[in-house]
Amino acid sequence: MQELGEAQPLSAHEVEAIRADFPYLERPARDDRPLVYLDWAATAQKPATVIAAETDFYRRRNGAAGRSTYQLADEATQALEDARQAVAAFVGARGENLVFTRNATEALNLVALSIAHASLGRPSQRGGKPLSVAERCDPANRLSLGPGDEIVVTRAEHHANLVPWQELAARTGASLRWLELTWDGRLDPDTAEVINERTRVLALTHASNVTGALTPLDAFLARARQAEALVVLDTCQSAAHLPLDFKTLSARGVGAMVLSAHKMCGPTGIGALVATTELLEAMPPLLTGGSMIEMVTMESSTYMSGPARFEAGTQALAQAVGWQAAVAYLEQIGMQRLHDTEQVLLRQLLEGMDQVKGLRLIGPAGADDRLGVAAFTLKGVHPHDVGQVLDAQGVAVRTGHHCAQPAHQHFGVHASSRASFGPCTTPAEIDRFLEAVSSVRDYFGRRA
Ligand SMILES: Cc1ncc(COP(=O)(O)O)c(C=O)c1O
């Protein structure tokens, strides 16, 4: 993450201009009410340029990328590579370090399953003993896990960054450990000692999709570096709300980060793994077949290097082009300004929520070091009922466990409702949300 400079929120006029770019605002919500969309953390709405870029690809540029020499195929190949460069540059990386995947979940599984493949048969070769820190620096051992090794995750994770590591532990015999949360839902630096010399992987989120809390990376990265552990950072929630710089992150020890296009105003069906060259070279491919090979005989095959090695089969070409348009759009607004604008809205939201009777915030009370994601419960009302009453008033929020059951268990609840922002969110929309939330308990006749 780059250092954030002096706050410079977008003006109301600039936000109105942004809203004019988003076709979803042309449609009403129920009963012809204006739609207040506050579920950007689940999936972001798309500006017209993204929709147009995807359509234009199919109208004029569609061809078999990487598989022919005719002009359309060449152009499609170039379009995919241009998109790769653009998305990588958006997060301070190089195209050669970005692998396209179906979504962020697939990117996380790609790393975990590659390690599972690399570990096959290896633990027995070393008599079940964990590798020393020096031994694990050997490229041949870099990704081999076995009994005695430890994988560290956190209680703040989306299931996408938890379940693949549980699977990896089960397949390799490594142990799964985790960082805990403080009472208000921040990752607790006091639990950092679970990262020790046995830690081989540290998989953690950059920002929680429940509490919005940003991870205090320093405390954890320093320990992971000492252990020479592979650090995998889930930037699904932060990438559309903060300036990110993979170069800086990798210098601090992050080996890989994952992205989800549809949370960044881009299309569904595409995500990415951004990884160091060293990691990509060490990872065995997961999917094999067309487009990732150099030479195939009846007996065996050799594989390409770089991202292509992990991109078997026809890629999501139109989606990649749409994603390129999305990052161009966000860049044009400026990530710093977007962040500063969302901070102002967040303060308004948190102050307003504090006044709502029976509302419990699931996460830190202040706006510092957190993003515009706020989960909450209302005393005596099930979160799904909260969602329905809000929906009846044209306000769309997420309800449920948000694919983060362990985080909810920490707060002693099964589910919550969640409001989250995007580039179109205005102070008037926050007011409408607060008004609607304030009416819910009355609707159900709850007084206490
Ligand atoms: C923090 C976090 N990680 C991972 C994911 C999974 O992303 P995708 O749906 O693109 O696989 C999400 C989606 O909600 C998320 O919020």
Side-chain angles (χ1 to χ4, degrees):
M1 190 171 77
Q2 287 166 359
E3 279 303 307
L4 299 177
E6 202 169 307
Q8 246 196 321
L10 296 159
S11 68
H13 180 70
E14 285 171 308
V15 175
E16 275 318 308
I18 289 171
R19 285 167 70 84
D21 293 334
F22 281 77
Y24 85 95
L25 285 165
E26 289 162 13
R27 60 151 295 168
R30 287 186 203 285
D31 301 328
D32 258 355
R33 293 166 191 268
L35 171 61
V36 175
Y37 185 78
L38 294 178
D39 198 16
W40 295 79
T43 197
Q45 297 295 343
K46 323 300 174 201
T49 50
V50 169
I51 300 163
E54 217 176 318
T55 310
D56 181 65
F57 179 83
Y58 283 127
R59 290 173 75 101
R60 301 187 316 115
R61 303 166 75 193
N62 184 43
R67 294 192 176 172
S68 276
T69 50
Y70 56 86
Q71 187 187 8
L72 270 181
D74 269 353
E75 284 180 16
T77 309
Q78 194 54 49
L80 182 67
E81 292 316 309
D82 289 349
R84 189 191 307 283
Q85 297 294 337
V87 175
F90 180 73
V91 293
R94 291 187 305 187
E96 67 207 52
N97 296 104
L98 186 142
V99 178
F100 283 121
T101 57
R102 246 177 348 127
N103 46 39
T105 304
E106 188 176 275
L108 290 161
N109 275 275
L110 171 59
V111 181
L113 289 169
S114 286
I115 298 176
H117 281 213
S119 305
L120 278 179
R122 282 195 163 264
S124 55
Q125 286 167 19
R126 51 177 213 250
K129 278 200 311 240
L131 297 172
S132 67
V133 171
E135 281 172 322
R136 67 181 72 153
C137 294
D138 178 342
N141 292 330
R142 194 79 185 99
L143 296 184
S144 106
L145 259 66
D149 291 330
E150 295 181 356
I151 300 166
V152 175
V153 292
T154 87
R155 187 176 280 283
E157 298 314 307
H158 186 283
H159 298 159
N161 199 26
L162 172 58
V163 183
W165 305 113
Q166 292 175 339
E167 276 291 314
L168 179 63
R171 286 173 196 214
T172 59
S175 307
L176 188 77
R177 304 192 68 187
W178 55 91
L179 296 159
E180 278 294 352
L181 300 175
T182 57
W183 66 272
D184 64 346
R186 292 195 183 277
L187 275 177
D188 189 350
D190 286 349
T191 61
E193 76 264 15
V194 296
I195 307 167
N196 62 43
E197 72 283 356
R198 289 183 297 282
T199 306
R200 302 296 310 281
V201 178
L202 169 63
L204 78 176
T205 194
H206 193 203
S208 161
N209 70 315
V210 177
T211 64
L214 281 166
T215 298
L217 285 176
D218 283 339
F220 308 128
L221 292 186
R223 292 184 75 95
R225 275 189 87 141
Q226 272 174 2
E228 291 284 343
L230 166 64
V231 178
V232 180
L233 190 64
D234 178 351
T235 57
C236 280
Q237 287 302 330
S238 52
H241 304 278
L242 281 178
L244 286 180
D245 187 42
F246 183 67
K247 200 157 162 249
T248 312
L249 287 167
S250 59
R252 291 165 69 196
V254 173
M257 66 187 226
V258 300
L259 298 168
S260 178
H262 71 97
K263 294 184 197 294
M264 300 166 66
C265 298
T268 50
I270 192 162
L273 169 69
V274 180
T276 59
T277 305
E278 185 206 9
L279 178 61
L280 290 182
E281 279 172 3
M283 278 170 49
L286 196 61
L287 300 179
T288 52
S291 301
M292 53 77 72
I293 49 80
E294 280 171 348
M295 175 76 192
V296 179
T297 67
M298 283 314 294
E299 290 78 24
S300 63
S301 308
T302 58
Y303 304 142
M304 291 164 89
S305 58
R309 178 181 162 86
F310 304 98
E311 294 176 350
T314 302
Q315 294 304 294
L317 303 174
Q319 289 87 338
V321 169
W323 196 2
Q324 178 178 1
V327 297
Y329 187 82
L330 292 174
E331 248 158 17
Q332 184 198 321
I333 300 174
M335 295 310 293
Q336 170 85 55
R337 297 201 70 203
L338 211 44
H339 173 78
D340 296 343
T341 310
E342 291 181 2
Q343 282 300 107
V344 176
L345 292 169
L346 180 59
R347 279 194 282 276
Q348 179 192 351
L349 178 75
L350 295 177
E351 279 163 25
M353 283 173 121
D354 197 39
Q355 303 302 312
V356 179
K357 205 165 165 213
L359 186 146
R360 177 187 175 201
L361 187 66
I362 304 294
D368 291 345
D369 298 320
R370 62 171 288 169
L371 300 178
V373 173
F376 62 97
T377 57
L378 278 182
K379 196 171 170 202
V381 187
H382 193 281
H384 285 159
D385 293 336
V386 174
Q388 275 184 357
V389 175
L390 296 193
D391 182 50
Q393 299 182 49
V395 179
V397 296
R398 172 83 191 259
T399 57
H401 52 61
H402 324 318
C403 300
Q405 291 187 18
H408 278 81
Q409 285 153 13
H410 173 78
F411 288 98
V413 294
H414 294 294
S416 61
S417 307
R418 181 188 71 187
S420 55
F421 311 153
C424 294
T425 311
T426 62
E429 288 190 330
I430 301 291
D431 282 343
R432 270 205 50 211
F433 162 78
L434 290 168
E435 216 174 284
V437 167
S438 304
S439 74
V440 173
R441 293 184 78 244
D442 285 345
Y443 179 88
F444 288 102
R446 303 279 186 272
R447 298 270 168 258

